[in-house]
Amino acid sequence: MELLSQISDHNSYTENLIGTLLALFGNVLVSISLSVQKHSYVTLAGTKDPRSFYRTKTWWFGLLLTFIGEGTNFVSYAFAPLSLIAPLNAVSVIASSILGIIFLREKSKPKEIAKRYGLSILGCVLTIGGTYLFITFGPNAHEKPKAENIVKHLVGWPVLLYLLLEIIAFCVLLYFYKQRGSNYLIIILLLVALLGSVTVIAVKAVSGMVVLSVEGTMQLTYPIFYVMFVCMVASVVFQARFLSQACILYDASLITSVNYILSTFFAIIAGAVFYLEFNHEDALHICMFVLGCATCFLGVFLITKSKKRAKAFEPYVTMDMARGIPTIHDKGLVVQPDYNGPSFSYGALVNNDGVAPSTLPVDQVQLRVSASSTAAPYRSVELKND
């Protein structure tokens, strides 16, 4: 009996190691793919055809790396516990931060270097330390996601109660989001996280049954496989819709940190309730696992907080008037007002940037200017240096 227990522990350790390495490799590969595709966007910025990057080998190579990385992440759920794989998404944040500096050659002003890169380095150190903690003290043993085990867990009262509470919370949040127009970031990302908990449950079930079928134990003939597959696809689609709305309304760095924290938290809860991953763990291991996750949360927050926010282009009208048609500049100026809101702020600024203005087309009929308005001479404005 003791020998069987040792063999089982050794097999669990080996499977956890395989799943962890697959998840690490997949997250790093996804980060590389995003950097490669972003490099393609940056290279072709300013071209007339907005879809010209589709014809570049760089963009398609990045897309191929994305599929390989996500496929590797998908397989990793079959080997390691859900609570161990979900927090490893922090590795992609670290890799993206490093690749953004090296591969894309992102730069900062000299005054911002110490502050920006200091927070990034501190965040990377905390994230690496937290990753080591939750991998070391995370759940070790977990059962095979067979069809019989999944059905048994699904009809159990803890899972039914958990799903009922999730459905109620999701409906309440969706009511405030749709009917009351509450477009707060926390509401949108809570909707994403609740859907994400269903996604990871379904992903682990589908991945585990596919791997078992490849190994020789056919699981694809059970109806629960197709139920989980439909749940996985549907939850991913709705997650993408809510995330796209959040990206329109809020900064991407803030979305990254908050979404990682909420999604990881609900994924760990889902693994603990549905797959009973912490049933055989003692209090010390659970506390150290929670400490590692909290350290990762803080590290990811510091990394994303230090990212430089890109300012959107703000067109503005100058006093250079050609036949009554305003001119607009499409390049940055040292005297252009800062962007402080969602609407454009127009100012009467002199064209002193040395950039040739481009004339805007006017479809409506030009109004006749009265003689009294044109007779008044322009007043020269002298800019005094403070």
Side-chain angles (χ1 to χ4, degrees), residues 107-121:
K107 298 180 180 179
S108 298
K109 295 180 180 180
K111 294 182 180 179
E112 299 176 354
I113 290 179
K115 180 180 179 181
R116 178 182 179 186
Y117 292 102
L119 287 176
S120 295
I121 294 173

Side-chain angles (χ1 to χ4, degrees), residues 70-323:
E70 293 296 346
T72 306
N73 286 333
F74 176 78
V75 176
S76 67
Y77 282 94
F79 292 96
L82 176 59
S83 304
L84 190 61
I85 298 299
L88 287 176
N89 290 329
V91 176
S92 64
V93 179
I94 299 175
S96 298
S97 179
I98 296 174
L99 290 172
I101 298 173
I102 298 176
F103 183 73
L104 299 175
R105 298 179 182 179
E106 295 179 356
K107 298 180 180 179
S108 298
K109 295 180 180 180
K111 294 182 180 179
E112 299 176 354
I113 290 179
K115 180 180 179 181
R116 178 182 179 186
Y117 292 102
L119 287 176
S120 295
I121 294 173
L122 179 60
C124 289
V125 171
L126 290 175
T127 306
I128 293 173
T131 302
Y132 172 77
L133 284 178
F134 73 71
I135 289 177
T136 304
F137 296 97
N140 187 27
H142 68 108
E143 62 181 11
K144 291 287 186 179
K146 297 180 180 179
E148 296 88 350
N149 296 334
I150 294 172
V151 173
K152 181 180 67 175
H153 292 315
L154 190 61
V155 298
W157 70 266
V159 175
L160 292 177
L161 179 60
Y162 173 74
L163 293 178
L164 178 62
L165 293 177
E166 272 209 345
I167 292 172
I168 294 174
F170 185 84
C171 291
V172 171
L173 292 172
L174 190 63
Y175 169 76
F176 281 100
Y177 176 68
K178 290 291 187 181
Q179 301 298 326
R180 296 298 183 91
S182 301
N183 295 329
Y184 298 108
L185 179 63
I186 190 66
I187 292 180
I188 300 176
L189 293 186
L190 276 174
L191 291 170
V192 174
L194 291 173
L195 288 171
S197 65
V198 177
T199 302
V200 292
I201 290 174
V203 166
K204 183 171 178 62
V206 173
S207 176
M209 286 188 281
V210 168
V211 171
L212 287 175
S213 300
V214 172
E215 292 176 351
T217 306
M218 180 55 63
Q219 301 288 315
L220 305 184
T221 56
Y222 292 91
I224 190 63
F225 172 79
Y226 300 97
V227 172
M228 287 296 182
F229 183 80
V230 171
C231 291
M232 179 184 69
V233 174
S235 58
V236 167
V237 170
F238 283 105
Q239 270 186 279
R241 292 187 60 181
F242 285 121
L243 278 176
S244 64
Q245 292 295 322
C247 291
I248 294 173
L249 299 174
Y250 297 96
D251 182 67
S253 300
L254 182 61
I255 293 172
T256 300
S257 60
V258 178
N259 183 52
Y260 170 75
I261 294 172
L262 294 177
S263 298
T264 303
F265 174 78
F266 281 99
I268 293 173
I269 297 298
V273 174
F274 194 95
Y275 293 104
L276 307 176
E277 293 178 346
F278 292 93
N279 277 12
H280 303 288
E281 301 295 329
D282 54 20
L284 177 61
H285 280 72
I286 295 176
C287 291
M288 295 302 294
F289 176 82
V290 172
L291 177 62
C293 292
T295 307
C296 275
F297 293 164
L298 179 59
V300 170
F301 174 76
L302 292 179
I303 293 174
T304 55
K305 182 179 176 61
S306 64
K307 289 184 177 294
K308 183 180 179 181
R309 296 184 180 181
K311 289 187 178 182
F313 160 65
E314 177 190 7
Y316 66 97
V317 178
T318 68
M319 290 185 64
D320 297 339
M321 308 295 288
R323 298 180 181 178

Side-chain angles (χ1 to χ4, degrees), residues 303-375:
I303 293 174
T304 55
K305 182 179 176 61
S306 64
K307 289 184 177 294
K308 183 180 179 181
R309 296 184 180 181
K311 289 187 178 182
F313 160 65
E314 177 190 7
Y316 66 97
V317 178
T318 68
M319 290 185 64
D320 297 339
M321 308 295 288
R323 298 180 181 178
I325 302 176
T327 56
I328 188 170
H329 293 270
D330 57 356
K331 296 185 178 180
L333 307 179
V334 295
V335 294
Q336 183 177 353
D338 290 335
Y339 180 71
N340 294 322
S343 61
F344 297 147
S345 59
Y346 293 91
L349 301 179
V350 182
N351 179 20
N352 58 356
D353 57 351
V355 180
S358 57
T359 305
L360 288 176
V362 178
D363 296 331
Q364 59 186 359
V365 179
Q366 183 178 349
L367 298 178
R368 182 176 298 174
V369 182
S370 61
S372 60
S373 61
T374 58

